Amino acid sequence: MNIKRFISLLILITSFLTIFGQEEHPNCISAKEFNLPFGDNIISFNEIYYQAEDKYTYWYKVNITSDCQFSYRVSSIGKDDDYELLMYKYEGEDFCNDRIVNDIMPISIRNKGVLSVKKGELYYLSIIHIQGQGCGHVIELDDGVKNIHIKAIQNDCVEEAIELVTKEENIVQVQVVDTVKPVPPLNLNKQVKGYLVNSVTQKNIEADILVLNIRGEKIQEVIKFNNSGGFELNNLKGDTIVLSITKFGYENLLDTIILKSDSLKLELNPIKVGDKLVMYQIYFHPNTYALKNESKNELKKLCQFMLENDKYIFEIQGHTNGNRSVKLTKQYENLGQEWNFKGSSKKLSKLRAEKIKSYLIENGVLENQLQTEGFGGDQMIVAKPKNMKQAMKNIRVEVKVIE
């Protein structure tokens, strides 16, 4: 794409988002407000109930009343929901307007972290619903003295959300009771060797491992595994650590571990039959089934997961934004067949699924593990998208474990 064309496209996108930006975040103006550090203040809204039309975005306004450091974490109430936390730092009088007009960008897009702040600063937190029913989220804030949990529950699924929250609270209570049991001190030379396995196959796997302290602050990051799949934790202090382990296709593990020896075995659970991987970072050129280079990282993760779980059978599902008829794109006319598609969105989504299947087979996945389906716009996440962000939720690849 030449520079002139890119600039024109950028202007078009910016204009589109400006028109719909205020509608996209209607509750920015009435954000829930509180001060940090908490001090003697009591937050009066530990539970929030909001309307279905607000489920895609919820806002908090945080006033910093003195220098401090606080940790934060956002999680979903429903196990099938997924939320993203966008954090904005703001200096001005009208954030909701300035965010649109001046295109203010977030300083952070992550669901947990630690932030050092100064008196007088102002922050806005935007909790965006990415996928699932949207039953609500929990935001946990800790200023080093007080730890506050705020539950935001969507009115249309209050019963389900309350049941889930109750179960989670019961689990937490059990864990708290268990952790107070006396444990004999461990005399370690500040090093533990361990290995990580797939809980189903019991084969060694690699993952992203963070060692945290009890406040959720990162102490070290394990990024290297040896040839046998083992890893080392070094310079440990004490006999209690918190491990955060994430890997594509597996349930995240966040656990407090009391070290009883200098070796450690950890297990990660892969997704099970009936579960789906929703993949928004597999990109195709518009109106084609030609993969973009930016898709390779996500495809490599998918391929690795399938190779590690070679007893599963997967269905690769293509989805588009609506069921319109796709026309040939003139600028691609001198390229190959995959660039020159004409037909229904459903057929295009099927060909995109087939393209991914071909990539996986070329990289070692067995053909009899893979099936494909194209749904076109029959299963849109946002039935009537009002802006580009909502429309992009519909354009996705899903990989389902069918047996």
Side-chain angles (χ1 to χ4, degrees), residues 227-342:
N227 293 334
S228 61
F231 59 87
E232 291 185 358
L233 306 177
N234 299 304
N235 301 317
L236 296 177
K237 296 180 180 179
D239 55 9
T240 302
I241 59 172
V242 179
L243 290 182
S244 171
I245 306 177
T246 56
K247 182 174 175 65
F248 180 87
Y250 294 78
E251 296 177 4
N252 292 344
L253 177 65
L254 180 64
D255 199 9
T256 301
I257 297 175
I258 299 175
L259 300 170
K260 298 180 180 180
S261 71
D262 58 359
S263 64
L264 187 64
K265 177 186 176 182
L266 302 170
E267 295 188 354
L268 275 191
N269 299 320
I271 61 171
K272 57 186 181 299
V273 174
D275 289 344
K276 285 183 179 180
L277 295 169
V278 182
M279 309 177 73
Y280 288 101
Q281 295 181 41
I282 295 180
Y283 306 106
F284 292 87
H285 292 273
N287 301 326
T288 78
Y289 52 101
L291 280 163
K292 290 186 174 182
N293 288 331
E294 301 95 296
S295 306
K296 294 300 173 64
N297 187 49
E298 194 83 341
L299 287 169
K300 286 179 181 177
K301 292 179 183 178
L302 176 61
C303 185
Q304 184 63 36
F305 173 72
M306 290 182 171
L307 292 172
E308 292 171 353
N309 296 274
D310 56 4
K311 302 301 182 185
Y312 279 164
I313 295 179
F314 302 92
E315 183 176 76
I316 305 165
Q317 303 172 350
H319 298 268
T320 58
N321 183 47
N323 279 316
R324 65 186 178 85
S325 179
V326 179
K327 298 179 181 180
L328 289 171
T329 304
K330 188 174 181 180
Q331 71 183 86
Y332 301 146
E333 61 185 357
N334 295 322
L335 302 176
Q337 183 178 4
E338 63 187 10
W339 294 84
N340 289 275
F341 174 80
K342 181 181 179 181

Side-chain angles (χ1 to χ4, degrees), residues 104-223:
I104 298 175
M105 300 301 291
I107 62 169
S108 171
I109 305 177
R110 49 187 308 205
N111 285 2
K112 62 181 180 180
V114 178
L115 191 67
S116 295
V117 293
K118 295 186 178 299
K119 180 180 180 179
E121 292 179 343
L122 176 62
Y123 293 85
Y124 281 84
L125 311 181
S126 173
I127 314 294
I128 296 180
H129 172 229
I130 302 297
Q131 66 182 25
Q133 189 176 353
C135 279
H137 63 270
V138 178
I139 181 167
E140 178 183 355
L141 298 156
D142 190 331
D143 65 2
V145 178
K146 285 187 178 180
N147 183 283
I148 302 293
H149 288 73
I150 302 170
K151 301 180 184 72
I153 301 169
Q154 199 250 107
N155 278 332
D156 282 359
C157 52
V158 166
E159 291 184 8
E160 298 98 316
I162 289 176
E163 182 179 1
L164 288 165
V165 169
T166 303
K167 287 180 180 178
E168 288 175 1
E169 288 175 342
N170 289 338
I171 291 171
V172 170
Q173 289 170 3
V174 171
Q175 290 174 338
V176 169
V177 172
D178 188 55
T179 57
V180 299
K181 294 179 181 179
V183 177
L186 178 66
N187 185 20
L188 290 175
N189 190 25
K190 296 185 179 180
Q191 183 184 77
V192 172
K193 293 184 178 181
Y195 59 99
L196 183 66
V197 300
N198 181 322
S199 64
V200 175
T201 67
Q202 288 299 302
K203 293 181 179 178
N204 290 359
I205 56 176
E206 297 185 8
D208 296 322
I209 303 179
L210 292 179
V211 183
L212 313 174
N213 60 23
I214 58 175
R215 291 182 57 190
E217 300 164 338
K218 184 174 78 171
I219 298 174
Q220 63 176 279
E221 182 175 357
V222 179
I223 57 175

